[in-house]
Amino acid sequence: MTNENRGEAAAGHEPAAAAPRSVAGVVDEVVLTRAGSREADERPMRTWRVVAQVVAAALVVVALVAVAGLAVSRRLAEAEAVNDAAHRTDLLAVALVQPILTDALTTGGAAALATVDGVVRSRVLDDAIIRVKIWAADGTILYSDEPRLIGTRYPLGPDELAVLRDPATEAEVSDLSKPENVFERGAGQLLEVYRPVWTPNGTAVLFETYSRYDVVTQRSASLWRGFAGVTLSSLLLLVVLLLPVLWALLDRVRRAQEQREQLLRRAVEASDVERRRIAATVHDGVVQELAAASFTVAGVADRLRGEGHQDLAGAVHGAADTIRASIRGLRSLLVEIYPPSLRRAGLDAALTDLVGGLSRRGADIHLELPAEGTDGLAEPTEQVVFRVAQECLRNAVAHSGATEIRLRLTRSRSTVVLEVIDDGTGFDLAATTGAPDEGHFGLRMLTDLAAEAGAALVVATAPGNGCRWRLTVEDS
């Protein structure tokens, strides 16, 4: 083990700034916790914030329903308006137009045109119907209330010809780009309805009306008001009824979270107290008894040597050495369980003791401490830094097979950064996070420690690529 205290490299080793080879330096870093993550985790549990989110979501739903309802009501209104226009044209054709038709209309007789024109202008045209046309089968306009169209000829479309062959009433939105609709283009969008009527000699002609599309807009608005009044009020009422239930549930969740945090703090405090108790019991009991035993056995060995029993004295002296080695091992274990130097001598001394104990397990551990020291750090900061360092070193020594580990602590004003880098086997972070096994149980502990302290914890590792931990904590 090389202890590079306060940035100085020990003899026989590379400079302190260099990192071990084969460390996770080319692996993407994964953020396990962010600075202030404890506060960030609490925010979603604030009742007013969640209620505001629910209300906002409800308003979005209401808006979507409103848009969808408007589209549906417009389609329904258009369908109803088309049906109404078709029905009205049917009535006009049967009750008014066909009874006044004469065979002379097909030959352009003036009297026939005058008769039709009088009925159309007095009883057909109104605010809704603005144009009437009567077509011959060859596409000649026999009559229109627009005199300029009479006698002009435009080929009938397949739909119009089909109506003349198989009598029916058809309605559609007018295509005002067609040349026969040139005089209707200034009236806006129109509904076009056509059906056959017959002259006295049985000749089929096409009766066509053009109605304003405004009726669709009016009908759509009427349907929308009826739809919106029921649907939107129902949605808003549902939200209002759910708010007390949601508020109560969130209050329960908030209280449960507070209880969980209290339990977690008590568990941490209890763990600390229990570690201290165990360490004190072992130190004041077993360690002291072993120390007394080692002195007694060493004294026996000295007497035997003085009496000339060299072989027996050597064996007893070896037993004393074994007892002293056991005492050193126990003391190293006590430092890991609870470092008395953390409160008494500070973080620097506690980390030095920690590295000294773990280095006896075979790994070469380099410790780099800031030149200005860590005096003045708040106790919570010292505790989280030490516990994260302790857990990272334990994992590296026990599970990674690392031969070289670097523990680097830097300090800049109120920010403390801890880095633990090893050249071990690394691990699959995604697999370990999804299904932690016995070898990486400490990952959850490290994340919880950092999150509870509001610190940022980052790891970079991959199988066969070592591991790099970085903890950043703001001292307060």
Side-chain angles (χ1 to χ4, degrees):
M1 185 277 296
T2 302
N3 183 358
E4 299 164 357
N5 198 353
R6 305 196 183 281
E8 297 182 359
H13 291 277
E14 65 213 60
R21 297 184 302 275
S22 301
V23 172
V26 296
V27 180
D28 291 338
E29 292 183 337
V30 177
V31 178
L32 298 178
T33 65
R34 298 186 183 276
S37 58
R38 174 177 53 185
E39 289 78 8
D41 289 342
E42 291 174 356
R43 266 183 280 171
M45 290 298 104
R46 293 178 181 173
T47 305
W48 66 266
R49 185 182 297 274
V50 178
V51 170
Q53 291 174 348
V54 170
V55 171
L59 293 177
V60 171
V61 172
V62 168
L64 292 176
V65 170
V67 172
L70 184 61
V72 171
S73 64
R74 187 173 184 83
R75 288 190 178 184
L76 291 175
E78 183 173 297
E80 287 194 9
V82 168
N83 290 334
D84 288 349
H87 183 63
R88 184 177 185 186
T89 299
D90 270 338
L91 292 176
L92 292 173
V94 173
L96 297 178
V97 176
Q98 185 162 311
I100 63 171
L101 292 182
T102 61
D103 296 329
L105 181 66
T106 59
T107 60
L113 285 173
T115 301
V116 173
D117 188 61
V119 172
V120 167
R121 292 186 183 278
S122 63
R123 306 184 65 181
V124 176
L125 297 178
D126 56 19
D127 291 339
I129 298 178
I130 65 168
R131 180 75 70 236
V132 172
K133 297 175 187 176
I134 298 177
W135 300 69
D138 62 357
T140 301
I141 298 180
L142 301 176
Y143 166 80
S144 175
D145 61 286
E146 172 52 61
R148 289 172 291 183
L149 288 173
I150 297 175
T152 58
R153 183 176 179 181
Y154 304 97
L156 293 176
D159 294 336
E160 288 86 350
L161 293 174
V163 165
L164 289 175
R165 287 193 305 269
D166 299 314
T169 301
E170 295 292 339
E172 60 188 27
V173 177
S174 299
D175 183 359
L176 298 180
S177 64
K178 292 181 179 180
E180 64 267 26
N181 295 331
V182 65
F183 297 109
E184 289 80 58
R185 291 173 186 170
Q189 199 169 13
L190 300 174
L191 286 176
E192 180 180 315
V193 183
Y194 48 89
R195 58 150 293 165
V197 291
W198 292 266
T199 62
N201 65 6
T203 301
V205 293
L206 193 69
F207 175 63
E208 187 175 42
T209 64
Y210 291 78
S211 302
R212 294 187 184 278
Y213 198 80
D214 295 346
V215 67
V216 174
T217 305
Q218 296 169 0
R219 186 69 57 82
S220 175
S222 177
L223 289 173
W224 162 240
R225 285 192 295 270
F227 169 82
V230 175
T231 305
L232 299 185
S233 60
S234 299
L235 286 174
L236 292 176
L237 179 61
L238 177 62
V239 171
V240 170
L241 292 176
L242 285 177
L243 283 179
V245 178
L246 179 64
W247 192 279
L249 290 176
L250 290 175
D251 189 57
R252 286 191 178 186
V253 171
R254 181 179 53 79
R255 290 201 302 268
Q257 184 182 28
E258 292 175 353
Q259 292 174 357
R260 175 183 175 276
E261 292 174 354
Q262 291 175 0
L263 290 174
L264 179 60
R265 283 193 294 270
R266 290 174 182 174
V268 171
E269 293 170 359
S271 175
D272 189 62
V273 171
E274 186 65 14
R275 284 170 177 264
R276 195 182 316 170
R277 187 189 66 80
I278 293 173
T281 300
V282 173
H283 181 272
D284 296 339
V286 176
V287 171
Q288 298 303 322
E289 292 173 0
L290 287 176
S294 69
F295 286 124
T296 300
V297 173
V300 172
D302 291 340
R303 286 199 304 272
L304 290 173
R305 187 177 290 109
E307 294 174 358
H309 303 289
Q310 298 298 328
D311 293 340
L312 186 57
V316 175
H317 194 275
D321 290 341
T322 301
I323 295 174
R324 283 192 290 269
S326 298
I327 294 174
R328 287 194 297 270
L330 280 174
R331 284 175 174 166
S332 297
L333 180 61
L334 292 179
V335 170
E336 292 185 42
I337 293 176
Y338 181 77
S341 56
L342 182 58
R343 290 192 178 185
R344 184 182 67 250
L347 183 60
D348 289 3
L351 290 176
T352 302
D353 290 344
L354 175 65
V355 169
L358 290 173
S359 64
R360 296 187 181 93
R361 300 187 185 182
D364 190 8
I365 304 177
H366 302 255
L367 174 63
E368 303 173 28
L369 297 173
E372 67 274 18
T374 59
D375 294 339
L377 290 179
E379 184 176 338
T381 301
E382 290 184 337
Q383 288 179 351
V384 71
V385 170
F386 179 82
R387 294 182 68 183
V388 170
Q390 184 182 51
E391 190 62 33
C392 290
L393 288 178
R394 281 177 178 173
N395 288 339
V397 171
H399 307 301
S400 73
T403 59
E404 189 172 3
I405 306 170
R406 187 172 301 281
L407 190 152
R408 181 186 299 124
L409 188 67
T410 57
R411 181 181 182 184
S412 176
R413 295 184 180 179
S414 62
T415 302
V416 179
V417 179
L418 170 72
E419 289 183 286
V420 180
I421 309 165
D422 68 67
D423 62 353
T425 58
F427 58 93
D428 187 336
L429 183 61
T432 302
T433 303
D437 56 27
E438 183 181 356
H440 295 295
F441 178 76
L443 179 61
R444 182 69 244 178
M445 180 185 296
L446 286 170
T447 304
D448 289 344
L449 282 173
E452 177 65 20
L457 181 63
V458 175
V459 62
T461 186
N465 210 35
C467 186
R468 180 193 302 268
W469 296 92
R470 185 173 73 249
L471 175 77
T472 305
V473 58
E474 294 293 329
D475 186 42
S476 57

